[in-house]
Amino acid sequence: TGVKLYLVPHWAAFDPAWVPALERWVRAGGVLVIGARSGTRDRENRVVSATAPGCLRALVGAAVDEYGKQNAPEKRPLAVTIDGTPVPTKHWYEILLPDPGTEIYAAWRGRHLEGSAAITRRGLGTGWVIYVGTHLTAEVVTALRPGLVRLAGLQQQWPTAPIGCTVTVREAADRELWFFFNESDEPLTLATLPVGID
């Protein structure tokens, strides 16, 4: 409860018993983002016989038609087009077949994948299920973030915070305390203050 946006990054080993609670949460307004390869194995790490994403298939509203490892992405690049911008991908690709009522949120760009579904979006109750047919790299998450924030009805607390910086706000009756955590291995710089913050 109280969570509006939830990411299941790449949980290949997935228990079907977890699906009903996720579905109830989405129907109540949650935005669920599921990364590639999720649901392809059982909890004992055995490959499941169901088409990917396995036990998540009905919740996602799409099936994986083709998949593969991205070898040498610098020589054989692929990208997903998110909000009109091509975003390079790495490691893995999946071509998705959306069910009726599930829309293509982003399409592939490059090679034989050109124009096929890379990311799908399904409305369920008052929430959404987004399936991402590639790895959730920093570039992909950065491109998806504004749309996910809008869908989930979140306030982006520090829109200029770079990837790797976690922002937490603690509020009291008379003040707010802002905490900035650098979770990367590199120094990070915070740009300008958002409007309305002194």
Side-chain angles (χ1 to χ4, degrees):
T1 60
V3 174
K4 295 181 178 180
L5 176 63
Y6 189 68
L7 274 70
V8 175
H10 305 285
W11 292 354
F14 208 92
D15 189 337
W18 301 338
V19 176
L22 285 173
E23 182 174 343
R24 285 191 300 274
W25 177 77
V26 170
R27 287 185 182 278
V31 176
L32 178 64
V33 180
I34 300 172
R37 304 191 73 196
S38 294
T40 56
R41 295 175 178 265
D42 64 19
R43 289 191 67 188
E44 284 73 42
N45 202 29
R46 294 179 298 227
V47 175
V48 299
S49 60
T51 301
C55 64
L56 294 163
R57 166 83 177 77
L59 181 61
V60 166
V64 175
D65 185 46
E66 180 185 323
Y67 61 88
K69 184 177 181 204
Q70 282 187 248
N71 295 315
E74 65 285 348
K75 294 179 184 173
R76 301 178 58 212
L78 287 174
V80 292
T81 304
I82 300 172
D83 293 329
T85 302
V87 180
T89 61
K90 297 177 185 174
H91 313 300
W92 193 258
Y93 75 87
E94 294 178 346
I95 295 176
L96 309 176
L97 292 177
D99 295 340
T102 300
E103 62 187 84
I104 296 174
Y105 192 67
W108 282 108
R109 186 167 177 183
R111 302 196 332 247
H112 72 286
L113 283 73
E114 185 72 37
S116 58
I119 302 173
T120 58
R121 180 172 80 169
R122 177 181 180 226
L124 187 62
T126 57
W128 297 91
V129 180
I130 314 278
Y131 185 85
V132 182
T134 189
H135 277 231
L136 292 166
T137 61
E139 295 82 7
V140 171
V141 171
T142 298
L144 286 173
R145 183 169 50 183
L148 296 176
V149 165
R150 276 192 309 275
L151 277 180
L154 297 172
Q155 296 282 330
Q156 194 164 351
Q157 296 172 337
W158 201 279
T160 59
I163 292 294
C165 179
T166 300
V167 182
T168 303
V169 181
R170 297 289 182 249
E171 297 180 24
D174 61 337
R175 67 181 157 221
E176 291 180 350
L177 294 176
W178 289 67
F179 299 89
F180 302 89
F181 300 96
N182 181 353
E183 297 179 3
S184 75
D185 294 330
E186 302 295 327
L188 297 176
T189 302
L190 290 171
T192 59
L193 291 168
V195 175
I197 295 178
D198 300 322

